[in-house]
Amino acid sequence: MSFRNFIDRLKNDGKLEEITYPVSRNFEAPKIARNIGSPVLFHDIDGNKAIMNLLGSRDELASLFNISKDNIIHKLSNVEPNGEIRIVDESPTKQIVDDEVDLTKYPIMTHFEKDGGPYITSGIVVSEYGDTTNASIHRLMVVGKNKLAARLVPPRHTYILHKKASENGERLPVAIVIGADPVIGFASTTRVPTGKEFEYAAALRGGTIELFKCDNGIKVPHSEIVLEGYIEPEERAEEGPFVDITGTYDHVRPEPVITITKIMHRKDPIYHGILPAGAEHLLMMGVPYEPKIYNAVDEVTTVKNVVLTEGGCCYLHAVVQIEKQTEGDGKNAIMAAFAAHSSLKHVVVVDNDIDIFDSDDIEFAIATRLKGDSDILTVSNVRGSSLDPRGESDGTTTKIGLDATKILKESEKFERARIPE
């Protein structure tokens, strides 16, 4: 499936809003996208097309995989990154090639009032150094007509590859992919073995992913836009402020600069913008961690489902559904979840009769099955998320796990009344 195929499917299913009147890239388009919430296609952002909220809900994600929402976790936790990759010579991405780079021609948006500048928020940065490759989404702030400041988080793969190249006084070749098959975008956010993002996407898709080679040697998938260039070894620019998943501002840092040397794109390209702290951002950040938690909990008890909740920024709060076997299973599940996702702050473990997609049902479990002095696990002074405004300056925090499961030997006390058919 191509980027445009998925947009067409959204439209045919009646899930796509279209804005045909002129809209500004500065604040106006992001505000409309936030207010609408569902996928929205802008036909005229300063003369360009752009889409936002492409994967704005679990329903859209389930549609992407042709499964039900409840089965997302089971699909993701059972797919191995071993799909087929094919290298090809031609691509619709090469329809227009621009060697005179001017990023201001594209609808790169400024989202919030204190933003450091316009940001590319959906760019998959594909990099290669030595025999190691990586594909991952990074926020990219425009700092010149051909310059981007890239937030490279240590010790993630792009950061490591850039560090190795810099130590040898070399520029790191990269290509920034915007508007690829949404499965590829999702796969690039998932923690898979090094260099296996495209193989994972192919496995998720159940087909072949085609890649073509840029002039700097980087191989990329077909997409709407590709920015080709290099991360400079020493050059830095102040990056930020930027609104991250918590809806609060991340602080300004000196970050590496990417020099863009060439832009390729389809005729009349459709730019993809992800609204910071919006539903798509949360989904892309959170869902890839759910199978990690699922598989870790599966080692200690019978796990049924896992969700990182929207109220917890799809990153800091998890609900884990288990089929309890022994009284210790709840706390074991809590510890396994914290080990699998170190940024996790709070975990609630519930029984399999609780709907983990219903916040009222989760609250019911806490209200009727949790006893404060025996069912709450507190872990102090541990590594948390740097995005948590309540965390310490060194990243440490306090984590809390709630065992909101039934007492097995008294299970009849917790039986929920049913009306028969």
XYZ file of all heavy atoms in Angstrom, residues 29 82 129 153 161-162 185 199 223 230 233 238 262-263 267 296 322 332 342 401 413 417:
168
model
N -3.132 25.501 10.340
C -3.340 24.091 9.983
C -3.252 23.182 11.210
O -4.116 22.312 11.399
C -2.337 23.662 8.907
N 11.577 -10.122 9.444
C 12.261 -10.915 8.411
C 11.536 -10.867 7.073
O 11.617 -11.806 6.283
C 12.413 -12.370 8.880
C 11.069 -12.997 9.261
O 10.012 -12.403 9.032
N 11.113 -14.178 9.848
N 26.236 3.827 8.208
C 27.665 4.058 8.430
C 28.331 2.699 8.628
O 27.897 1.896 9.465
C 27.907 4.954 9.636
C 29.342 5.432 9.730
C 29.843 6.377 8.843
C 30.202 4.912 10.695
C 31.152 6.802 8.917
C 31.517 5.341 10.777
C 31.992 6.282 9.881
O 33.302 6.706 9.949
N 18.636 11.475 20.096
C 18.570 11.083 21.505
C 19.609 10.009 21.787
O 19.587 8.941 21.159
C 17.164 10.551 21.849
C 17.101 10.139 23.319
C 16.107 11.610 21.545
N 25.425 6.255 15.296
C 26.045 6.295 13.970
C 26.684 7.655 13.709
O 27.798 7.746 13.159
C 24.998 5.995 12.893
C 24.423 4.576 12.872
C 23.407 4.431 11.751
C 25.521 3.541 12.731
N 25.989 8.735 14.103
C 26.564 10.065 13.923
C 27.824 10.238 14.777
O 28.815 10.831 14.329
C 25.529 11.140 14.292
C 26.074 12.529 14.248
N 26.275 13.294 15.382
C 26.500 13.295 13.203
C 26.780 14.464 15.032
N 26.927 14.488 13.733
N 6.231 3.900 8.188
C 6.336 4.911 9.230
C 6.179 4.311 10.608
O 6.944 4.613 11.530
N 12.594 -4.539 6.960
C 12.202 -5.952 6.994
C 10.992 -6.151 7.896
O 10.091 -6.950 7.590
C 13.372 -6.814 7.475
C 14.459 -7.027 6.445
C 15.489 -5.906 6.418
O 15.244 -4.861 7.070
O 16.523 -6.065 5.742
N 8.073 7.196 -1.655
C 7.399 8.125 -0.755
C 7.028 9.387 -1.517
O 7.329 9.525 -2.710
C 8.304 8.464 0.437
O 9.529 9.016 -0.016
N 23.436 15.202 4.555
C 24.470 14.703 5.465
C 24.335 15.386 6.826
O 24.072 16.594 6.900
C 25.869 14.995 4.910
C 26.155 14.340 3.581
C 25.762 14.955 2.384
C 26.789 13.100 3.513
C 26.004 14.347 1.157
C 27.038 12.495 2.282
C 26.645 13.117 1.110
O 26.881 12.514 -0.098
N 29.629 16.669 11.063
C 30.301 16.087 12.237
C 30.367 17.019 13.440
O 30.270 16.563 14.587
C 31.701 15.755 11.721
C 31.888 16.609 10.506
C 30.527 16.790 9.910
N 20.907 25.535 17.953
C 19.976 25.451 19.079
C 18.649 24.886 18.573
O 18.019 25.460 17.686
C 19.751 26.838 19.694
C 21.008 27.411 20.364
C 21.423 26.601 21.579
O 20.667 26.576 22.558
O 22.517 25.981 21.534
N 19.829 17.726 -1.814
C 18.911 17.445 -2.928
C 17.542 17.096 -2.360
O 17.436 16.502 -1.280
C 19.436 16.281 -3.766
C 18.507 15.823 -4.881
C 19.039 14.603 -5.608
C 20.237 14.944 -6.456
N 20.668 13.810 -7.306
N 16.492 17.466 -3.120
C 15.125 17.081 -2.765
C 14.492 16.393 -3.963
O 14.533 16.911 -5.091
C 14.278 18.293 -2.345
C 14.886 18.966 -1.104
C 12.838 17.863 -2.060
C 14.129 20.195 -0.641
N 5.047 14.374 -8.289
C 4.315 15.529 -8.781
C 3.180 15.830 -7.802
O 2.481 14.921 -7.353
C 3.751 15.246 -10.179
C 4.816 15.088 -11.249
C 4.194 14.730 -12.603
C 5.279 14.540 -13.659
N 4.698 14.128 -14.969
N 7.199 -9.322 27.781
C 7.867 -9.407 29.078
C 6.929 -9.968 30.145
O 7.320 -10.830 30.945
C 8.372 -8.024 29.498
N -4.291 -9.481 32.648
C -3.749 -10.823 32.821
C -4.861 -11.802 33.187
O -5.944 -11.409 33.620
C -2.639 -10.872 33.898
C -3.207 -10.569 35.288
C -1.500 -9.937 33.549
C -2.221 -10.816 36.422
N 4.289 -9.400 39.900
C 5.281 -9.836 38.910
C 5.040 -9.154 37.573
O 5.989 -8.756 36.872
C 5.229 -11.354 38.739
C 5.902 -12.097 39.873
O 6.720 -11.532 40.593
N 5.549 -13.362 40.045
N 11.400 1.318 30.233
C 12.006 2.028 31.359
C 11.420 3.416 31.582
O 11.570 3.986 32.661
C 13.529 2.131 31.165
O 13.825 2.851 29.986
N 3.065 0.846 40.904
C 2.279 -0.201 40.269
C 1.065 -0.525 41.115
O 1.163 -0.640 42.344
N -16.506 -13.007 45.508
C -16.818 -11.673 46.025
C -16.720 -10.606 44.932
O -17.313 -9.540 45.034
C -15.845 -11.301 47.163
C -16.046 -12.063 48.443
C -14.924 -11.787 49.427
C -14.708 -10.307 49.677
N -13.655 -10.070 50.692
N -22.202 -8.747 38.307
C -23.574 -9.183 38.003
C -23.853 -9.078 36.516
O -23.471 -8.098 35.875
C -24.563 -8.354 38.801
